[in-house]
């Protein structure tokens, strides 16, 4: 996708989904078994987040972008697809600490939303983007 750290098989599946949606707008159903096989328990909840249009790409005038995903709990998580990171607790535990998953449902929802052209778009100022990033650091510290 864009230099992320996903295995080649995952990258290829996301490329196939993107191509299928660009060329034919076919449903995600034909990919669901492969998504479940590669991404495990994150696949179905991620698809639910995509269906609910929970992914928003924030873009600043400089071209910097980040994604926010409204989680099923109602909490907003910030995702960085460029470095394959999410601020949710599941990412920290299942992905980073235990290496049980490739990614959390929020990051997968970002990748799927991008592939399917289903991201909400929001233009923000450089200051707004900076404030979002600083707020995340405060939450973590």
């Amino acid at each position: 996708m864009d230099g992320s750290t996903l295995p080649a098989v995952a990258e290829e599946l996301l490329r196939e989904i993107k191509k299928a949606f660009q060329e034919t707008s076919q449903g995600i159903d034909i990919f669901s078994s492969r998504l479940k096989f590669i991404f495990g328990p994150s696949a179905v909840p991620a698809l639910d987040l995509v269906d609910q249009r929970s992914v928003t790409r924030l873009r600043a005038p400089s071209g910097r972008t980040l994604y926010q995903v409204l989680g099923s709990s109602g909490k907003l998580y910030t995702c960085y697809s460029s470095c394959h990171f999410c601020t949710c607790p599941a990412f920290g535990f299942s992905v980073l600490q235990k290496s049980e998953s490739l990614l959390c449902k929020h990051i997968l929802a970002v990748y799927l939303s991008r592939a399917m052209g289903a991201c909400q778009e929001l233009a923000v100022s450089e200051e707004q983007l900076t404030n979002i990033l600083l707020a995340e650091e405060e939450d973590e510290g």
Side-chain angles (χ1 to χ4, degrees):
M1 298 290 300
D2 49 68
S4 69
T5 57
L6 291 176
V9 67
E11 293 282 350
E12 181 59 29
L13 177 57
L14 291 169
R15 273 194 293 276
E16 284 181 39
I17 291 170
K18 183 175 186 174
K19 184 177 179 188
F21 272 81
Q22 286 175 338
E23 293 176 359
T24 63
S25 297
Q26 57 188 325
I28 193 74
D29 296 344
I30 64 167
F31 298 102
S32 64
S33 62
R34 287 192 284 168
L35 281 167
K36 290 174 193 170
F37 179 77
I38 293 171
F39 297 109
S42 298
V44 172
L47 287 168
D48 288 343
L49 291 171
V50 174
D51 285 344
Q52 295 161 15
R53 308 236 349 133
S54 298
V55 178
T56 303
R57 178 176 30 206
L58 306 176
R59 182 182 303 273
S62 65
R64 292 188 307 162
T65 61
L66 61 85
Y67 294 84
Q68 289 191 317
V69 179
L70 184 60
S72 51
S73 66
K75 184 164 175 28
L76 200 59
Y77 297 104
T78 301
C79 299
Y80 307 89
S81 63
S82 60
C83 62
H84 184 69
F85 182 80
C86 179
T87 58
C88 77
F91 186 86
F93 185 71
S94 296
V95 178
L96 296 178
Q97 252 183 334
K98 298 194 103 186
S99 298
E100 292 176 341
S101 302
L102 285 174
L103 36 70
C104 66
K105 65 182 178 182
H106 308 109
I107 285 278
L108 181 54
V110 167
Y111 289 139
L112 291 171
S113 290
R114 286 174 35 191
M116 296 162 62
C119 280
Q120 307 280 359
E121 299 285 338
L122 182 62
V124 296
S125 69
E126 297 295 334
E127 184 180 2
Q128 287 171 310
L129 194 68
T130 300
N131 288 340
I132 291 166
L133 295 172
L134 290 175
E136 291 300 335
E137 285 183 13
E138 289 173 9
D139 287 349
E140 292 170 10

